[in-house]
Amino acid sequence: MEHPLAALPSVHEILRDPAFRAACGDLADPFRTRLVRRAVDSHRQALLEDPEERHEPGPLFSSILDQCIREAEALQTPSPRRVVNGTGVLIHTNLGRAPLGALVEALNESDLGGYTDLEWDPESQERGNRDLRLQRQLQLLTGAEAALVVNNCAAALMLALNTLASNKQVLVSRSELVEIGGSFRVPAIMEASGCRLREVGTTNKTNLRDFEEHVVPGSSVLLKVHQSNFVQRGFVERVSIDEMVALGRRLGVPVIEDNGSGLIANQYAALLQDEPRVLDSLDRGVDIVCCSADKLFGSIQAGILLGTAEHIEAMRRNPLYRVLRLDKVRLALLDRTLKLYLAGDAGSLPLWRLFHASLDELEARIAQLRLPKSGTRWLSVRSTPLQGRLGGGSNPEAVFESLGLELRHRELSAEALKRRFATRPVPIVGYVQQGCFYLDLRTCFPEDLPELQRALDELGGTGDALE
Ligand SMILES: *Cc1c(COP(=O)(O)O)cnc(C)c1O
């Protein structure tokens, strides 16, 4: 019997291949070699693990070559890559949550190419504080006594718990031990923060007495977590923020709230009725509120902490803050976002623009598209009312009117169509419902229309192609 590795091509054979060389672009030689070696090694491993399987040298060579070409090409494309969001989900975690739009221009304006005064104060010529400016902006915007910004909301909660509750017990209702998705689970974050979880109440009902029974003044913290991505109905009871704050005050125990979605722009509060509001929690006297900056706040990935100066300063001194703090690029983007908020212009954030586009505007967008006529490969492409969602774990049941395309193709199933759109050079992401493929125009930017048009033209073909 032939040696199982006899069919394996050499690294040099692949390196010499013209198609591979073309795919490599300006990838330097040592890295080309390493890329190929890794591909060959992984195939060698597979051959050794399955010695019974017979391999012909030709197909094996093509398969390794293909893999190398795909990897080399992938290295040339920017990442993350632009996609067209046709899902109708405004804050889509897999698609990067809130879109940044013109916020990214801040990167040019603040001249980040050279050195910056990130941590230097020209007045005193001494070391400055990298987020003092953000703190001032957030104080003005929210009225909070103090503020701090870290990597994301998970980090914010972790820093708050580690600072305020390390080696203490944290009381939280059993109905709020939530999983947000993407590995955020409240109990896991607590454990990693070094505090002891004390579940109180039951899955559906928790009342103030449940907290009162277990709270130990001096060695407890009360935590409220926004349920975010699910709702409970029926035989349900929850403890309000007011009650928790009153209990905390009475016993001298801090109250932390994980707000999650970060609704700060008050003008939208009315539209998003059930969404918890950051300012509301502060007004009610919560000691520390944390939220994400890339959900309803509409900016980059970050976590915002707001609350009393005493607690925020303790967090700033915590060595964990050094681990979780932001870099200059993200600080510049948040600075730009907060300027919009402070100008009373949060409505011009891309997220809120998409949210506010009227059905007439969406219709006008669709009217700009040349929809394929029957006689092409399309069975039908028609404009249809759809329902958009906020997403990002905010208000799971809130749907709002939207408009989009319903697409049917003679040769491709809805799932196949979805795949074709998703695998284009600029992926277009839609969804399948009851056997049809849909693209929601609410989450598409006007700049996305040419890309949609190209996809429709290319997938539709001409009438002749059908013959
Ligand atoms: C989304 C969410 C988080 C996680 O936020 P990240 O910024 O992704 O870390 C935490 N808590 C709640 C309640 C959330 O909704």
Side-chain angles (χ1 to χ4, degrees):
M1 198 180 109
E2 223 175 302
H3 191 275
L5 297 182
L8 201 66
S10 77
V11 169
H12 282 282
E13 276 174 85
I14 308 253
L15 281 172
R16 272 199 310 269
D17 183 90
F20 175 67
R21 294 168 67 93
C24 277
D26 51 14
L27 188 67
D29 284 340
F31 311 118
R32 293 182 184 199
T33 309
R34 186 170 289 158
L35 187 154
V36 172
R37 185 161 291 142
R38 288 171 73 110
V40 172
D41 284 350
S42 74
H43 279 78
R44 172 181 298 118
Q45 204 56 40
L47 293 182
L48 289 174
E49 276 163 21
D50 195 7
E52 300 304 314
E53 182 92 23
R54 275 203 46 76
H55 288 278
E56 298 301 329
L60 191 58
F61 176 82
S62 314
S63 137
I64 300 179
L65 178 65
D66 275 356
Q67 181 188 335
C68 292
I69 289 176
R70 262 183 285 118
E71 282 178 18
E73 280 172 350
L75 285 171
Q76 314 298 319
T77 51
S79 171
R81 203 160 42 127
R82 168 187 169 206
V83 307
V84 175
N85 178 5
T87 64
V89 178
L90 281 165
I91 306 168
H92 200 301
T93 296
N94 302 150
L95 305 182
R97 290 200 180 153
L100 297 179
L103 288 176
V104 294
E105 284 163 18
L107 296 182
N108 294 330
E109 281 166 25
S110 48
D111 248 344
L112 287 180
Y115 298 102
T116 65
D117 64 353
L118 178 68
E119 283 192 354
W120 178 70
D121 175 23
E123 287 301 322
S124 63
Q125 311 270 318
E126 280 175 11
R127 183 176 181 147
N129 197 323
R130 70 169 57 203
D131 59 10
L132 224 48
R133 162 79 161 261
L134 277 190
Q135 157 147 294
R136 298 232 170 82
Q137 290 166 317
L138 283 165
Q139 282 166 328
L140 275 182
L141 178 64
T142 65
E145 214 174 276
L148 195 63
V149 182
V150 290
N151 181 58
N152 57 13
C153 184
L157 182 60
M158 191 166 182
L159 180 61
L161 291 172
N162 182 266
T163 309
L164 272 60
S166 161
N167 292 320
K168 294 185 178 177
Q169 62 165 0
V170 176
L171 274 58
V172 58
S173 160
R174 286 196 167 87
S175 67
E176 296 178 3
L177 292 173
V178 299
E179 168 171 332
I180 307 292
S183 76
F184 180 95
R185 287 180 150 191
V186 170
I189 295 279
M190 282 204 181
E191 199 183 318
S193 315
C195 50
R196 291 196 307 278
L197 167 62
R198 186 69 177 89
E199 305 174 22
V200 304
T202 62
T203 306
N204 57 325
K205 280 201 168 204
T206 303
N207 57 45
L208 192 61
R209 246 175 308 117
D210 295 321
F211 280 98
E212 281 170 338
E213 270 171 22
H214 298 287
V215 67
V216 182
S219 63
S220 301
V221 166
L222 306 180
L223 175 66
K224 186 158 189 68
V225 181
H226 176 33
Q227 281 178 333
S228 290
N229 49 11
F230 76 105
V231 289
Q232 289 184 307
R233 237 181 263 112
F235 198 55
V236 171
E237 186 180 340
R238 306 187 67 195
V239 179
S240 72
I241 272 292
D242 288 332
E243 290 174 296
M244 286 180 76
V245 168
L247 178 64
R249 290 265 161 87
R250 186 146 52 81
L251 301 176
V253 164
V255 179
I256 301 176
E257 183 183 8
D258 177 9
N259 161 283
S261 50
L263 181 62
I264 289 184
N266 254 345
Q267 63 265 45
Y268 305 114
L271 295 166
L272 306 171
Q273 288 207 350
D274 299 327
E275 202 56 41
R277 305 170 200 173
V278 174
L279 302 188
D280 207 39
S281 301
L282 289 171
D283 287 346
R284 287 167 193 277
V286 171
D287 295 279
I288 292 292
V289 190
C290 62
C291 66
S292 288
D294 56 358
K295 293 182 181 171
L296 295 178
F297 187 71
S299 184
I300 57 159
Q301 178 196 302
I304 299 174
L305 285 149
L306 301 163
T308 62
E310 179 200 346
H311 292 316
I312 294 283
E313 279 319 309
M315 289 185 215
R316 205 189 288 282
R317 287 194 304 270
N318 187 331
L320 200 51
Y321 171 61
R322 177 67 177 71
V323 178
L324 303 172
R325 70 186 188 180
L326 298 193
D327 68 290
K328 59 190 171 191
V329 174
R330 289 207 273 165
L331 287 173
L333 291 166
L334 263 186
D335 175 66
R336 169 59 83 93
T337 312
L338 282 162
K339 282 196 178 106
L340 282 178
Y341 270 95
L342 290 174
D345 198 16
S348 67
L349 284 167
L351 178 73
W352 295 112
R353 283 197 181 206
L354 294 177
F355 181 76
H356 273 290
S358 67
L359 290 181
D360 286 345
E361 281 172 68
L362 299 188
E363 204 170 305
R365 262 179 231 169
I366 292 179
Q368 284 178 46
L369 291 169
R370 278 171 284 105
L371 298 187
K373 303 230 162 48
S374 54
T376 65
R377 287 190 168 140
W378 292 104
L379 201 55
S380 67
V381 178
R382 62 185 190 95
S383 153
T384 181
L386 296 173
Q387 289 191 323
R389 282 172 194 282
L390 280 175
S394 14
N395 228 332
E397 296 205 316
V399 290
F400 39 82
E401 288 186 304
S402 191
L403 206 62
L405 299 176
E406 181 190 271
L407 305 104
R408 287 198 271 177
H409 198 270
R410 283 181 208 281
E411 296 154 12
L412 299 171
S413 71
E415 283 296 340
L417 206 49
K418 177 167 170 247
R419 202 182 144 67
R420 285 289 187 91
F421 273 84
T423 51
R424 294 177 55 78
V426 176
I428 299 174
V429 193
Y431 62 95
V432 172
Q433 211 168 50
Q434 286 165 353
C436 282
F437 178 59
Y438 292 97
L439 290 169
D440 192 317
L441 267 282
R442 175 167 305 279
T443 41
C444 293
F445 289 90
E447 302 84 87
D448 291 334
L449 292 180
E451 205 48 54
L452 280 179
Q453 187 68 59
R454 261 193 292 281
L456 290 173
D457 293 345
E458 286 172 23
L459 274 158
T462 61
D464 307 338
L466 255 185
E467 255 65 73

